Amino acid sequence: MLMPSTYNVVVPLKGNDGAEQDYHVLFNTLAGTLDVIDGKVATALKEGGGGSLPLPPDVLGYLDQRGYYFESRQDEVLRSRILYDEMMRFHRQSARQPLVVIPSYNCDLKCPYCWQRLYHMDSPVMSEEMANHLFEALPTFLEKNHSPDKTDLIIFGGEPLQDKPALRARVLHLLELGRRAGYSTKAISNGVGLAPNVPYLKGNIDVIQVTIDGPAEIHNKRRPLPGRRESFAPMIEGIARAVDAGIHINVRVNTDMTNLYTLPELSEFAQAQPWFSSGLVRFHLAPVKNHNPRKESPSESDLLLKVLELVGRDERMSIYDLSGFPGIKYFQGFKDSGLFSPHRFFNCEAQINFFAFDLHGDVYACWDTAGLKHLAVGSFSPEVKLDPTKLGQWRKRTALDIAGCQPCPSSPHCGGGCQFLALEHKKTFLESACDSMMEGYVQAIQSNANWLLERARAGDHAVGLVTAREVVTPVTRLFGLADSDGKAELIGCA
């Protein structure tokens, strides 16, 4: 007898008047399929597909083909494992590879939420010899058959764009080596020292990420310079000069409940700046991760609800991209293309192809661990050495092996959440660190209720309409799900 998939999610739909309708969305995170169903189908799924509300063979057959049913839990686990292996191969072949270089751990800010904890305020600068040696070693770390134009060289810190001649010289040296190798070039900066660096960076860098945490008063409290000197004004000047030089700026807004309600004011400020309409600046929200010493912070899902509530009632929030909340991002991708982001069972690039290289010759597999020498996975100097056991802890972590993730339908996409947070809070990689993934999906589905119903009735998108009597509008396009003999193929309704 068929059993409903563990990865089914049933979301009630509401109309414009907010009243519950007898329609739900049935979404399967493993198959990446989505259909509108009526209440009777939702009840039948809850009861296992049979019980007091058996479904007609054509309806049950359609739902089975769409990936909402399996022969057994064992069959589902088998297909999930096969799919994970295939998708890991796919991601490693197709995803861009980030290579992060840390020329110094020194930073001129003291942000209270920073995971780096200011361990390296007295850090020296990477030597010229070390930088040259790194680029001799880098081919060892590149994915096989990866062309240079799929590789991102990212200068990180600490703060790499301080107004210090020795650090500037090394950053420019690294950018030159990266551009010579054919990589895209980026830097992540707090922006305080950006303005004096712009003349040197012009024509030598593709993108700079700068963090703004709110209007001046809020930003200066959250991202303070020593001695209570303000960081906001020089950062804004740096953005203005960079845009004048034709440099793309990604503005990251680290968001939590202490600054959320100031973001409309920040939007108003930004839109009044000459550089806002340049086409070179984009703003995105990113939830502040729970790195505080007490290991406590409000739920990321609760934060997302507050963000969406604010977006819904204040049009000034429209400048912010919400892709830092992945459930929102992935549903938007489905609206645009009819496809969800490929199911992954992993959380981030630390589990695929990420490497960070620091001034001491150490190699790390995760942004957040850089500088924590006991978490290095190897070295590139004086020779290339990778510890397969340490690297394997990052590369081989999957939600399929985390006990707490087994009953969770988010796991094909969230991969158990951030593994550094799991290690930091629970002292092991094999624990979950839950985020807002599923809440993002649910909120995106409910806010698009009318669009989904229209598409399901019209049959002009990858959304079917199914009642307990019949398949009203079937989806015939293929989707990815490994078949039972282990072949990873596109299967679905023919």
Side-chain angles (χ1 to χ4, degrees):
M1 180 179 176
L2 293 174
M3 56 165 280
S5 170
T6 304
Y7 305 110
N8 287 343
V9 180
V10 178
V11 182
L13 293 184
K14 297 181 180 181
N16 285 328
D17 59 1
E20 295 254 351
Q21 302 182 68
D22 191 29
Y23 285 111
H24 301 68
V25 158
L26 173 58
F27 169 43
N28 187 279
T29 54
L30 180 68
T33 50
L34 186 152
D35 290 271
V36 174
I37 60 175
D38 68 10
K40 291 182 178 179
V41 176
T43 300
L45 280 160
K46 187 182 295 185
E47 295 184 357
S52 60
L53 287 170
L55 297 172
D58 63 324
V59 172
L60 190 59
Y62 174 78
L63 295 175
D64 181 25
Q65 285 182 302
R66 292 280 282 161
Y68 301 119
Y69 281 93
F70 283 89
E71 293 290 340
S72 65
R73 175 60 179 152
Q74 183 179 7
D75 180 36
E76 183 177 46
V77 170
L78 173 63
R79 294 198 192 196
S80 298
R81 182 66 68 176
I82 293 169
L83 187 57
Y84 165 73
D85 290 339
E86 287 296 317
M87 293 314 299
M88 282 299 291
R89 278 193 283 272
F90 169 78
H91 279 284
R92 294 194 70 167
Q93 291 170 2
S94 61
R96 299 188 66 82
Q97 183 169 14
L99 302 177
V100 172
V101 184
I102 302 168
S104 174
Y105 283 109
N106 182 275
C107 184
D108 48 358
L109 295 188
K110 293 185 176 181
C111 308
Y113 56 74
C114 181
W115 75 84
Q116 292 180 304
R117 299 293 175 220
L118 307 177
Y119 295 133
H120 305 280
M121 290 297 285
D122 58 347
S123 169
V125 174
M126 177 182 279
S127 68
E128 180 180 4
E129 180 185 13
M130 185 70 78
N132 290 331
H133 187 70
L134 168 61
F135 274 80
E136 291 172 4
L138 275 186
T140 308
F141 298 91
L142 294 177
E143 290 294 313
K144 293 180 180 178
N145 304 317
H146 232 51
S147 58
D149 62 359
K150 290 175 65 177
T151 303
D152 297 327
L153 180 75
I154 305 168
I155 310 299
F156 188 47
E159 170 50 45
L161 300 185
Q162 296 179 66
D163 188 15
K164 296 182 176 181
L167 180 57
R168 178 184 297 128
R170 189 60 53 243
V171 167
L172 292 173
H173 177 207
L174 291 166
L175 290 173
E176 179 187 1
L177 292 172
R179 293 177 72 81
R180 196 183 298 167
Y183 307 149
S184 72
T185 52
K186 304 180 180 181
I188 295 178
S189 172
N190 60 39
V192 174
L194 177 55
N197 274 292
V198 165
Y200 305 96
L201 295 171
K202 183 178 180 179
N204 292 314
I205 196 165
D206 298 315
V207 181
I208 300 173
Q209 177 180 293
V210 176
T211 300
I212 308 179
D213 271 9
E217 182 181 0
I218 299 299
H219 181 90
N220 288 330
K221 287 180 180 178
R222 290 168 62 91
R223 302 180 67 78
L225 280 164
R228 297 188 177 181
R229 291 178 294 125
E230 74 163 71
S231 59
F232 186 83
M235 177 265 302
I236 293 298
E237 181 187 357
I239 291 175
R241 291 195 185 183
V243 170
D244 285 345
I247 299 171
H248 286 263
I249 300 291
N250 286 342
V251 176
R252 174 186 175 111
V253 183
N254 290 329
T255 306
D256 57 26
M257 292 306 298
T258 66
N259 72 330
L260 172 60
Y261 294 103
T262 70
L263 299 190
E265 183 184 342
L266 173 61
S267 169
E268 209 169 304
F269 170 85
Q271 292 183 70
Q273 304 307 304
W275 43 259
F276 183 80
S277 58
S278 66
L280 297 175
V281 182
R282 62 178 289 269
F283 282 72
H284 72 280
L285 302 188
V288 173
K289 296 299 182 180
N290 182 10
H291 293 296
N292 70 71
R294 295 187 303 276
K295 313 303 181 196
E296 297 174 357
S297 69
S299 160
E300 189 175 302
S301 294
D302 291 344
L303 174 64
L304 174 58
L305 290 175
K306 296 295 184 183
V307 168
L308 293 173
E309 177 187 329
L310 185 58
V311 168
R313 62 181 168 82
D314 196 321
E315 63 182 14
R316 293 174 293 177
M317 292 293 290
S318 63
I319 75 165
Y320 300 113
D321 180 352
L322 302 185
S323 60
F325 297 93
I328 298 287
K329 174 176 68 176
Y330 294 158
F331 185 84
Q332 186 59 49
F334 173 75
K335 282 188 71 175
D336 294 342
S337 69
L339 296 170
F340 283 100
S341 175
H343 15 264
R344 314 183 312 174
F345 292 100
F346 63 88
N347 179 255
C348 74
E349 60 266 29
Q351 289 152 278
I352 316 173
N353 57 11
F354 177 94
F355 285 109
F357 310 90
D358 76 1
L359 65 154
H360 305 299
D362 293 321
V363 180
Y364 298 88
C366 164
W367 296 87
D368 294 4
T369 61
L372 301 175
K373 199 172 180 68
H374 66 286
L375 293 178
V377 298
S379 61
F380 66 88
S381 180
E383 58 182 321
V384 173
K385 290 183 179 179
L386 280 176
D387 184 321
T389 301
K390 286 188 172 183
L391 183 61
Q393 288 181 307
W394 298 92
R395 298 293 197 252
K396 295 178 181 179
R397 181 186 187 251
T398 162
L400 293 168
D401 297 324
I402 299 172
C405 295
Q406 298 316 297
C408 179
S410 296
S411 60
H413 286 189
C414 84
C418 172
Q419 63 197 87
F420 179 71
L421 282 176
L423 182 66
E424 196 177 32
H425 291 212
K426 301 173 183 177
K427 310 305 180 186
T428 175
F429 287 113
L430 294 178
E431 286 282 355
S432 61
C434 298
D435 55 25
S436 62
M437 173 74 73
M438 186 50 64
E439 192 62 53
Y441 275 132
V442 170
Q443 293 301 316
I445 287 169
Q446 290 182 334
S447 65
N448 286 276
N450 291 312
W451 179 86
L452 286 163
L453 284 166
E454 289 169 3
R455 300 286 68 76
R457 288 167 175 153
D460 60 0
H461 201 270
V463 184
L465 178 58
V466 185
T467 71
R469 296 179 59 184
E470 62 179 329
V471 180
V472 180
T473 310
V475 176
T476 58
R477 68 173 64 189
L478 301 178
F479 62 91
L481 188 61
D483 65 18
S484 56
D485 64 2
K487 297 177 181 177
E489 299 177 343
L490 289 172
I491 66 172
C493 300

